[in-house]
Amino acid sequence: MKFDTPATTNPIDQLKVVGKPLDRIDGKFKTTGTAPYAYERHDVAPNQAYGFVVGAGIAKGRITAMHIDEAKRAPGVLAIVTTLDMPRLGRGTMNAAYLFGGAEVQHYHQATAVVVAETFEQARAASFLIRVDYAPEAGKFDLAKEAPSAEPVASDSGEGSGGGPEDRVGDFEGAFAAAPIKLDETYTTPDESHAAMEPHATVAAWNGDKLTLWTSNQMIAWGRGSVAKILGIPAEKVRLDSPYVGGGFGGKLFVRADAVIAAVAAKAAGRPVKVGLTRPLIANNTTHRPATIQRIRIGAGTDGRITAIAHESTSGNLPDGKPETAVDQTKLIYAGANRLTSLKLAHLDLPEGNAMRAPGEAPGMMALEIAIDEMAEKLGLDPVEFRIRNDTQVDPEKPERPFSHRNLVGCLQLGAERFGWSKRSARPGQARDGKWLVGMGVAAGFRNNLLAESGARVRLDGRGVVTVETDMTDIGTGSYTIIAQTAAEMMGVGIDQVVVRLGDSDFPASAGSGGQWGANNATAGVYAACMKLREAVAQKLGFNSTDIVFADGEVRAGNRSARLAEAASAGDLTAEDKIEYGELAEKQQQSTFAGHFVEVGVDSYTGEVRVRRMLAVCAAGRILNPKSARSQVIGAMTMGVGGALMEDLAVDTRRGFFVNHDLAAYEVPVHADIPHQEVIFLDETDAMSSPMKAKGVGELGLCGVGAAVANAVYNATGIRIRDYPITLDKLIGQLPEAA
Ligand code: MOS
C-alpha cells in the first residue's frame, strides 16, 4: 500500500481497540519468566555449548601472538577460535569497528578470541589461561585534546537527524554582532552507555550451510543482511529470531560481536553455541553514545525574538565512524532569520560511538535548552514565554515547508498550568524546604517523526483467529500490544482473537525498532496487510459493497451479515502487504513536541540533587495505547535524569578505555531516584504520518529532560553547570552559604 496522500477517515478511526490503555499482552510472560531472552533459548537447539568472548587488553596496535595451548587443555574445552585464525571479517550495516578477525586492534576490548566449553564456567576459566602478545601503538583518547583538529563532516544519524558540515541561512555573524542581547557558551556531554538490562546474547546453530541466530536485536532485516555480509554467505542462508528483547536503546540496532562470534564458534565446535557478552564488554566491546563539545551562540532583540542562532558540535569516533548529530533540532525548533549549524569529527581510538536513544537530539537538546534558559534570563523573560515567542510553524531553513502538525506551544502552556509554573521564582536560590534548595526547570522536547517501509502478513483461520507475522521487534516498547490492537480494530475482533508473532526474519520485513519510528510504521504495515485481508474476506463471503463493516466478529453490509470465521471455513485466508511512503515527509516536516517540567531539591550542604517532580506534555500524533506510550515516556524521562545527573563513561585517557564498565560504577537511575512522574498526551492526530495518524513518542520523552533538570538546578541554586552530568562535586564549591 502506497501512502502518498494524507490519511482520511479509515477503520482505525473507530478507536474501539486502538487508543485504549490496554495492558501489554506480553506482560504476563515477562512477569512469570516465560518470555525467554536470547541467552535463555535453551530449547531451540539441542546440545548447546558455551562461548566466552575475550576482549583486547590494549586500545590500539597489533596482536603478534596468542598462546592458547594451556587453555585448550583445560577441562571441558571444545574449541578455541582466535582472531588470528581468520582474516578480518567484513563489516555490517552502519558500523565503524570490525567485530572479529585479523591482528589489528582498533579499540579496547575488541574481541580477540572465543573459548567454547561444555559449561559457561569452564569456558570462562579457560579463557583466563590465554596469553596474548601485543605490539601496542599510541592512540588518541581525549576528545578535549583532539577537538581542535576535528574536521567538518556531513552526517546522518540514521535516525532522522543530520546535516551538512556547515549549514547556513542568512548572515549569522552579522546578525549576531548586531544583536543587543547575546549568549556565547560551550556545553559538554559525556560518553554514555546503553546499559540495557539484557546484555547482548546469541545462540547460533548451523544446519549444513544454513545459519540460525537466536539473538537480541532491534532490526531483524538489517541484522540478517549484516550477518550475511560479515560471514560472506547469502542472506537467504541466515535466519535471525528475536521475539523478546530486554532493552536496546540503539545498542542492538546492529549485530554485534556476540552474533558473529557465536556463528564462528558454532562452526568450529560443530554444535550450537551460546554467547553472551559479559557486562564489562557492553561498555567497551559494543557501541556507546559519543561525548560532545557544543558551542551555542544566540542573538535576540529586546523584544525577545531570536535574530541569530548558531549551534556547533564536535565529537569523536574511530576512523569510518560518524559524528553525534547534536545540532539537528536547532535547525527546526525555533524561529530566527540568521542561522548556522555545523558538525565536526575528531579521530579517537576509543570504542565505537554510535546511535543511543535519540542520537543527536538527546545530547543536542541537553545543550540547546540550557542555552535557551540562559537567554530568557538575559532578556528578563519567563523561559516558557521566551520559547513560545520564538515558535515557528514552518521549517526555519526552508520557510516554504510547513510542519505537518506542530503544537509545541500547547505543550508548554498546558505543562506550565499543570505543573504550577506560576509559583516558580524567576530569581534563583529563593525557595527552600528545610535543608533543600528547591527549583523548577522547563525545556522543550523535540524529535523528528520518521517514515520507513514496513511489511506484515495476516492470516484468518476457521476459528476466526487473526494471526499477524512481521519481523518487527518488541524491545520492551509494547509492539505486541499495539500490533494486536491494530489487527483487532481492522478485522473487527477482540484483542483476544489476535495472535502476534514478531522478530523472525522468516516473517515480512518491518521498519524495526529504532528512532522512535517503530510504532507508527509497524502498525501501518499491519494496517496495509489487514486491508488486503478484508478484501479477501469480502470476496470469499460474496460481499461486494463498499460500505462493508467488520465488527463484533462479523462482516456486515446493508442488511446482510456473516461471521468473519466463515470466510476461512474452507481453509486459512492469508494476506501480505507493506506500507510504502511517497513524498509527504519531504513536503511537510514531521516532528514531535513536548514540554518537560522538573522540580529538584539540591542539598544546601552537600550539593546532592534529588528530582522531586516531573511532568511531560507530549504532542505526538495519535497515541495508539496511552498506557504503553506512557511507559515509554516515563522510561525516557528516567533516562533523561540519568543523563543529567549520573551517566558518564569515564575515559582513561592514557590507556584508552571506559573505566566504569559495570552497573556498580556506571550509575543509572533506580526506582529510589525517581519521584512522581506525570505524562499528558495532547489529543491530536497527524494525517501526514500514516493511516494510523500516529507519530513516535519513545525518544521524545528523553529529548529535553536533561536540560529541564539542569535549569531546575540553576533555579534552585543560581549555579549554572554546562558540563554534564551535574554531580555534586561541580556544585559544592559554589553553593550559597549553608544556613
Ligand atoms: Mo535508536 S538509538 O535505537 O532508537
Side-chain angles (χ1 to χ4, degrees):
M1 173 184 289
K2 186 94 182 213
F3 182 74
D4 51 10
T5 54
T8 53
T9 303
N10 68 44
I12 296 297
D13 295 319
Q14 302 172 97
L15 298 180
K16 289 182 183 165
V17 195
V18 170
K20 296 280 185 279
L22 299 183
D23 290 345
R24 275 164 54 171
I25 58 181
D26 53 325
K28 54 181 173 292
F29 308 128
K30 295 278 173 67
T31 51
T32 55
T34 52
Y37 293 101
Y39 204 77
E40 305 162 335
R41 304 291 296 274
H42 311 299
D43 55 345
V44 290
N47 202 24
Q48 295 174 15
Y50 289 80
F52 190 86
V53 175
V54 182
I58 61 166
K60 189 174 166 65
R62 296 185 76 75
I63 298 171
T64 54
M66 295 192 71
H67 309 283
I68 61 168
D69 291 348
E70 204 186 339
K72 256 185 166 164
R73 288 192 301 268
V77 171
L78 300 165
I80 296 175
V81 185
T82 79
T83 192
L84 299 182
D85 293 340
M86 62 193 71
R88 189 143 82 175
L89 296 175
R91 241 179 343 186
T93 313
M94 293 186 216
N95 271 146
Y98 291 86
L99 297 178
F100 202 60
E104 186 192 350
V105 175
Q106 295 176 294
H107 64 85
Y108 184 80
H109 267 178
Q110 194 165 26
T112 58
V114 56
V115 179
V116 185
E118 292 290 351
T119 70
F120 171 79
E121 289 76 12
Q122 288 171 333
R124 182 179 56 182
S127 76
F128 296 150
L129 302 174
I130 295 178
R131 284 175 299 112
V132 185
D133 297 338
Y134 295 105
E137 291 164 25
K140 298 173 175 178
F141 309 121
D142 187 342
L143 177 61
K145 207 168 124 196
E146 303 305 325
S149 64
E151 300 280 349
V153 284
S155 194
D156 175 352
S157 68
E159 289 202 0
S161 63
E166 188 177 273
D167 292 337
R168 289 177 169 276
V169 176
D171 167 21
F172 168 75
E173 281 79 4
F176 184 69
I181 314 287
K182 50 191 144 203
L183 163 130
D184 181 352
E185 293 290 353
T186 297
Y187 307 82
T188 59
T189 63
D191 297 286
E192 293 180 353
S193 179
H194 306 85
M197 292 278 277
E198 184 205 12
H200 295 65
T202 301
V203 180
W206 290 90
N207 184 358
D209 61 352
K210 282 200 73 177
L211 171 67
T212 302
L213 300 173
W214 294 272
T215 189
S216 183
N217 192 281
Q218 300 171 228
M219 300 289 297
I220 299 304
W222 289 7
R224 180 192 215 182
S226 291
V227 169
K229 192 169 161 236
I230 291 167
L231 298 177
I233 59 178
E236 308 80 66
K237 302 284 186 193
V238 179
R239 179 178 162 228
L240 260 64
D241 186 40
S242 185
Y244 298 106
V245 179
F249 312 115
K252 296 172 182 167
L253 281 171
F254 328 102
V255 290
R256 300 299 308 168
D258 57 299
V260 173
I261 286 172
V264 166
K267 181 141 264 182
R271 57 192 260 200
V273 170
K274 171 184 291 199
V275 170
L277 297 186
T278 57
R279 188 55 69 177
L281 286 172
I282 303 297
N284 285 290
N285 179 276
T286 76
T287 60
H288 67 279
R289 188 199 300 284
T292 65
I293 301 169
Q294 304 179 47
R295 182 184 184 194
I296 297 179
R297 285 172 286 172
I298 305 175
T302 49
D303 60 355
R305 290 187 193 279
I306 295 170
T307 53
I309 185 162
H311 191 166
E312 299 170 279
S313 176
T314 301
S315 56
N317 215 332
L318 289 168
D320 298 344
K322 291 179 180 181
E324 182 69 21
T325 54
V327 305
D328 188 71
Q329 71 288 320
T330 308
K331 297 168 181 291
L332 289 163
I333 186 168
Y334 297 117
N338 303 286
R339 320 177 66 88
L340 161 65
T341 49
S342 76
L343 291 171
K344 281 189 184 166
L345 180 63
H347 170 178
L348 290 179
D349 298 300
L350 290 170
E352 174 175 345
N354 212 316
M356 181 168 139
R357 201 170 190 182
E361 284 88 340
M365 292 293 276
M366 286 166 81
L368 176 68
E369 290 296 297
I370 296 182
I372 291 290
D373 201 68
E374 296 196 67
M375 240 352 240
E377 187 179 39
K378 283 174 190 278
L379 286 157
L381 277 177
D382 182 275
V384 171
E385 169 56 26
F386 180 51
R387 287 176 172 88
I388 290 173
R389 203 170 286 188
N390 288 285
D391 186 51
T392 173
Q393 291 295 314
V394 298
D395 176 344
E397 288 187 349
K398 303 182 196 78
E400 69 285 0
R401 210 172 151 253
F403 282 89
S404 61
H405 188 83
R406 169 168 169 142
N407 197 2
L408 173 60
V409 170
C411 294
L412 291 166
Q413 284 172 335
L414 183 63
E417 184 195 315
R418 292 291 176 86
F419 201 69
W421 186 252
S422 59
K423 295 195 188 73
R424 169 185 175 271
S425 161
R427 251 184 76 209
Q430 302 304 303
R432 282 193 82 121
D433 177 4
K435 67 172 182 173
W436 299 96
L437 302 165
V438 179
M440 289 189 215
V442 64
F446 178 93
R447 176 79 169 147
N448 287 330
N449 182 61
L450 298 176
L451 303 182
E453 197 174 293
S454 194
R457 183 159 59 221
V458 285
R459 188 172 63 244
L460 174 70
D461 71 17
R463 296 166 300 145
V465 171
V466 179
T467 300
V468 186
E469 292 176 336
T470 162
D471 84 357
M472 179 61 189
T473 47
D474 190 326
I475 59 175
T477 40
S479 307
Y480 279 104
T481 311
I482 56 172
I483 284 172
Q485 287 175 273
T486 303
E489 192 83 63
M490 293 298 291
M491 302 312 297
V493 299
I495 195 161
D496 52 348
Q497 287 288 100
V498 179
V499 174
V500 180
R501 301 179 65 203
L502 300 181
D504 188 332
S505 60
D506 286 348
F507 300 154
S510 72
S513 298
Q516 77 168 10
W517 65 59
N520 177 52
N521 294 298
T523 55
V526 173
Y527 173 97
C530 286
M531 279 310 243
K532 270 205 173 162
L533 184 60
R534 286 163 61 111
E535 281 165 34
V537 167
Q539 205 179 17
K540 201 85 185 171
L541 296 175
F543 285 82
N544 49 18
S545 158
T546 48
D547 60 354
I548 190 162
V549 171
F550 289 71
D552 310 318
E554 293 189 342
V555 187
R556 299 174 196 138
N559 53 9
R560 243 193 93 191
S561 77
R563 279 180 41 253
L564 176 68
E566 245 170 66
S569 58
D572 292 359
L573 282 188
T574 302
E576 183 174 332
D577 201 2
K578 58 185 174 187
I579 192 84
E580 295 172 277
Y581 295 96
E583 310 288 295
L584 290 181
E586 278 91 82
K587 288 190 192 128
Q588 301 193 1
Q589 174 59 38
Q590 298 187 18
S591 301
T592 65
F593 308 90
H596 287 294
F597 293 81
V598 172
E599 182 181 285
V600 301
V602 180
D603 187 309
S604 56
Y605 297 92
T606 67
E608 176 194 1
V609 179
R610 304 296 302 182
V611 175
R612 291 159 64 105
R613 289 191 297 139
M614 303 182 80
L615 166 67
V617 182
C618 302
R622 170 173 284 152
I623 299 302
L624 301 172
N625 179 328
K627 188 169 185 179
S628 57
R630 176 182 182 277
S631 294
Q632 279 295 289
V633 174
I634 63 173
M637 290 157 79
T638 303
M639 200 174 219
V641 172
L645 301 177
M646 302 167 190
E647 291 186 55
D648 183 1
L649 279 170
V651 182
D652 182 323
T653 54
R654 296 157 307 157
R655 313 270 314 172
F657 69 104
F658 299 126
V659 179
N660 48 347
H661 58 190
D662 58 41
L663 290 174
Y666 184 82
E667 209 187 338
V668 296
V670 297
H671 277 93
D673 295 310
I674 299 300
H676 183 69
Q677 295 175 313
E678 200 179 332
V679 181
I680 299 170
F681 296 110
L682 296 188
D683 187 9
E684 62 172 45
T685 54
D686 192 331
M688 301 293 277
S689 70
S690 82
M692 304 304 293
K693 304 173 188 170
K695 295 195 280 199
V697 76
E699 295 181 333
L700 176 67
L702 168 60
C703 299
V705 175
V709 174
N711 295 339
V713 169
Y714 176 76
N715 184 246
T717 62
I719 305 168
R720 188 64 84 176
I721 307 292
R722 302 184 183 88
D723 172 33
Y724 289 101
I726 303 168
T727 44
L728 46 75
D729 52 300
K730 296 173 187 170
L731 291 166
I732 197 161
Q734 304 177 61
L735 280 174
E737 279 305 305

